[in-house]
């Protein structure tokens, strides 16, 4: 299997890669399947059932909105966040949805929890809070019927983390994108990755770049990654400019704008405040995750819930590291993606599957690796940085209060970004030798996730989600 850097870093909208980006992509895939199968013009009604974590937190994570947008033909990387709410409101008001902006169908997006009865008055999106399908917690079943109620098509999809979507044909295969493109330096473990660096003398970023050339030119890779960086920068700028409270009912106040104003005012004391740079890292992470929580445009890195960590550390490098340039940005992202491949291949980046250790933990590890490389670390030091990043996130639960990607998610990104910087600097100051390998740490993360109770896996039924009273 082959995973590209652009599989791990994708432009989308908030608040969740698994619960917003994935369902939008799945709904779009279903609508396009109706067209390719020649039944789109006969479709009179469609229905979507969301199971497991999707059903439990679908409202707070924007899954209902995502399904409507996907059926209408929108895709995460291109949809304008500003049209999302008006589009859903128009469908609710008219009871009509145009599949792929072509075929009008009756559609009532008002959801029902549990097993909704069939019939003309039944809602067309059903959230199953207490039911899950066997393959993965984030499962969706779509149906299309003709004017007489006859079933035209039914398809099951799984949102397996980071915006990756698998259909039912992949239910008995690996939980990664089925891309068998041959690459120059194939690897599925950190040990194999390091073996390539030892045999070639190349840094990890160059090994990853060589593999990316299987899909596109070097200039295409560079321009694509610099575009990803520009989206990250714009997300930070937007987050630093926005004020008020976040949507969803918790009335969480945005903090990025006021923090930026204080940091701008304190520039004269920057040389005497040893933590001045770290305050900016906190700001960058808060800005991204506040935008994500508001449904804004973000880069999944590798997920939306952990979208602030890589951008925050990358901003730290660009602003505070000597000699930082566009080449360093590209090398950072390539190295981070190489580590992300290891998590995707050997464990999971889905909070619904392994808890937040799979999201924030993997992002912290990726960011630590990227920073270690551009700070001059050897491949062994980079691997050490990645291991430190995940080792100290093992067991991290996914317990969003109210099912919203706000508490503790926003602050958790800021803390993990600082942790990634510490991990990178600690590794670069060492010799690369350490007792726990990255492969063993990833294996421990997978096993910990398997042992973790479902209430701590993005269901909003345990941890802070259970113990914090919603206001």
């Amino acid at each position: 299997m082959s995973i590209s850097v652009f599989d791990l870093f994708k432009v989308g909208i908030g608040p969740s890669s698994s619960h917003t980006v994935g369902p939008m992509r799945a709904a779009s895939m279903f609508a396009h399947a109706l067209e390719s199968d020649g039944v789109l013009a006969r479709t009179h009604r469609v229905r979507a059932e969301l199971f497991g974590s999707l059903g439990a937190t679908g409202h707070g994570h924007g899954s209902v909105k995502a399904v409507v947008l996907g059926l209408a033909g929108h895709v995460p990387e291109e949809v304008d966040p500003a049209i999302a709410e008006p589009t859903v409101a128009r469908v609710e008001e008219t009871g009509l949805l145009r599949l792929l902006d072509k075929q009008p169908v009756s559609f009532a997006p008002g959801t029902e929890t549990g097993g909704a009865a069939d019939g003309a008055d039944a809602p067309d999106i059903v959230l199953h809070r207490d039911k899950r399908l066997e393959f993965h917690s984030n499962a969706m079943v779509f149906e299309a019927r003709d004017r007489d109620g006859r079933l035209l098509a039914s398809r099951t999809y799984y949102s397996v983390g980071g915006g990756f979507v698998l259909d039912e044909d992949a239910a008995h295969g690996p939980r990664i994108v089925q891309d068998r493109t041959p690459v120059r330096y194939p690897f599925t473990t950190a040990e194999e990755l390091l073996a390539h660096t030892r045999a070639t003398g190349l840094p990890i970023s160059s090994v990853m770049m060589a593999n990316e050339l299987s899909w596109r030119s070097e200039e295409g890779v560079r321009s694509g990654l610099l575009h990803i960086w520009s989206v990250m920068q714009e997300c930070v700028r937007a987050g630093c400019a926005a004020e008020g409270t976040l949507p969803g009912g918790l009335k969480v106040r945005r903090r990025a704008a006021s923090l930026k104003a204080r940091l701008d005012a304190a520039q004269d004391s920057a040389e005497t405040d040893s933590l001045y740079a770290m305050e900016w890292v906190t700001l960058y992470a808060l800005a991204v995750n506040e935008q994500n929580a508001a449904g804004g445009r973000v880069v999944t890195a590798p997920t939306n819930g952990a979208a602030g960590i890589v951008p925050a550390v990358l901003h730290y490098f660009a602003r505070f590291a000597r000699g930082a340039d566009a080449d360093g940005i590209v090398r950072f992202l390539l190295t981070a993606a190489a580590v992300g491949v290891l998590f995707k291949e050997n464990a999971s980046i889905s909070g619904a599957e392994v808890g937040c250790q799979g999201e924030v933990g993997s992002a912290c590890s990726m960011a630590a690796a990227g920073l270690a490389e551009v700070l001059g670390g050897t491949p062994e030091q980079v691997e050490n940085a990645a291991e430190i990043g995940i080792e100290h996130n093992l067991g991290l639960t996914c317990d969003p209060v109210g099912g919203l990607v706000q508490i503790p998610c926003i602050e958790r990104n800021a803390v993990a970004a600082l942790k990634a910087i510490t991990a990178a600097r600690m590794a670069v100051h060492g010799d690369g030798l350490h007792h726990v390998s990255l492969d063993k740490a990833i294996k421990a993360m997978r096993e910990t996730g398997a042992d973790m109770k479902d209430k701590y896996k993005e269901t909003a039924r345990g941890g802070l989600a259970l113990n914090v009273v919603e206001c």
Side-chain angles (χ1 to χ4, degrees):
M1 304 302 169
S2 304
I3 301 177
S4 165
V5 60
F6 297 105
D7 292 324
L8 291 161
F9 297 122
K10 300 185 291 291
V11 177
I13 65 170
S16 171
S17 49
S18 294
H19 293 62
T20 314
V21 174
M24 190 187 306
R25 184 163 286 126
S28 177
M29 291 166 63
F30 180 68
H32 280 287
L34 295 177
E35 183 176 46
S36 62
D37 291 344
V39 298
L40 183 67
R42 294 165 51 200
T43 301
H44 178 70
R45 193 166 188 179
V46 294
R47 188 173 190 235
E49 296 183 68
L50 279 60
F51 296 84
S53 177
L54 288 175
T57 63
H59 281 296
H61 282 65
S63 303
V64 173
K65 169 185 68 178
V67 168
V68 173
L69 292 171
L71 291 173
H74 295 287
V75 290
E77 55 269 26
E78 297 176 3
V79 65
D80 181 356
I83 65 100
E85 296 297 340
T87 299
V88 176
R90 185 166 57 252
V91 172
E92 289 177 339
E93 181 181 345
T94 64
L96 202 66
L97 185 152
R98 296 181 67 87
L99 294 174
L100 300 181
D101 201 28
K102 298 176 181 178
Q103 173 66 11
V105 297
S106 298
F107 197 81
T111 59
E112 182 168 324
T113 301
D118 292 321
D121 296 327
D124 291 312
I125 300 179
V126 181
L127 303 180
H128 293 288
R129 296 184 181 276
D130 299 310
K131 293 173 63 177
R132 60 168 292 167
L133 303 189
E134 182 177 351
F135 176 65
H136 193 280
S137 177
N138 290 337
M140 297 159 277
V141 176
F142 291 88
E143 290 183 351
R145 297 183 180 272
D146 65 14
R147 188 172 297 275
D148 296 320
R150 289 188 291 263
L151 183 66
L152 296 173
S154 177
R155 197 74 176 165
T156 302
Y157 298 92
Y158 303 91
S159 180
V160 296
F164 287 82
V165 173
L166 302 179
D167 64 18
E168 57 197 41
D169 294 334
H172 301 293
R175 299 178 185 188
I176 59 175
V177 175
Q178 303 294 307
D179 187 335
R180 298 184 182 276
T181 301
V183 295
R184 185 169 182 179
Y185 300 114
F187 64 89
T188 58
T189 67
E191 184 54 43
E192 290 173 349
L193 177 58
L194 289 175
H196 287 308
T197 67
R198 293 171 186 138
T200 63
L202 295 173
I204 289 174
S205 59
S206 293
V207 170
M208 194 66 179
M209 173 63 87
N211 288 350
E212 289 297 317
L213 298 182
S214 298
W215 291 284
R216 49 185 65 81
S217 68
E218 181 171 347
E219 179 53 36
V221 176
R222 286 181 58 84
S223 63
L225 290 177
L226 291 176
H227 170 67
I228 291 293
W229 169 230
S230 72
V231 176
M232 290 177 174
Q233 290 175 295
E234 177 54 35
C235 183
V236 167
R237 284 192 292 268
C240 287
E243 298 180 307
T245 60
L246 295 171
L250 292 179
K251 295 182 173 59
V252 173
R253 291 181 296 107
R254 287 180 177 262
R255 287 176 285 178
S258 60
L259 177 55
K260 183 177 187 300
R262 289 197 297 273
L263 290 176
D264 285 339
Q267 288 194 44
D268 292 341
S269 63
E271 293 184 2
T272 59
D273 184 354
S274 60
L275 294 179
Y276 181 74
M278 298 300 98
E279 297 278 17
W280 280 96
V281 174
T282 297
L283 168 65
Y284 299 139
L286 293 179
V288 171
N289 285 89
E290 286 174 359
Q291 281 299 98
N292 179 64
R297 186 175 301 284
V298 299
V299 175
T300 61
T303 68
N304 282 32
I309 299 166
V310 168
V313 179
L314 196 48
H315 273 79
Y316 165 78
F317 165 69
R319 177 164 183 162
F320 295 102
R322 293 180 180 177
D325 57 12
D327 181 63
I329 299 296
V330 171
R331 288 166 51 221
F332 183 112
L333 291 172
L334 286 168
T335 305
V339 171
V341 167
L342 302 177
F343 283 94
K344 191 65 181 165
E345 288 273 15
N346 299 292
S348 174
I349 58 173
S350 169
E353 191 169 17
V354 295
C356 201
Q357 58 174 355
E359 297 198 35
V360 162
S362 62
C364 180
S365 181
M366 292 165 62
L371 182 60
E373 167 133 342
V374 295
L375 291 181
T378 65
E380 287 75 17
Q381 289 171 324
V382 170
E383 185 262 356
N384 188 193
E387 185 277 326
I388 295 171
I390 183 57
E391 179 180 336
H392 301 288
N393 281 290
L394 290 177
L396 194 61
T397 57
C398 187
D399 47 359
V401 176
L404 300 169
V405 191
Q406 298 178 17
I407 304 172
C409 319
I410 296 172
E411 291 179 353
R412 187 169 283 174
N413 274 251
V415 172
L418 296 173
K419 190 180 293 186
I421 293 171
T422 300
R425 295 178 69 90
M426 188 184 302
V428 170
H429 288 311
D431 57 11
L433 299 177
H434 52 110
H435 288 285
V436 180
S437 70
L438 177 57
D439 288 329
K440 290 179 180 178
I442 292 175
K443 180 175 182 289
M445 188 265 271
R446 184 185 69 240
E447 293 172 347
T448 301
D451 292 339
M452 191 180 290
K453 292 183 178 180
D454 283 344
K455 69 180 182 178
Y456 298 118
K457 298 179 183 180
E458 211 167 357
T459 58
R461 291 180 182 148
L464 287 176
L466 186 66
N467 289 285
V468 175
V469 177
E470 299 174 37
C471 299

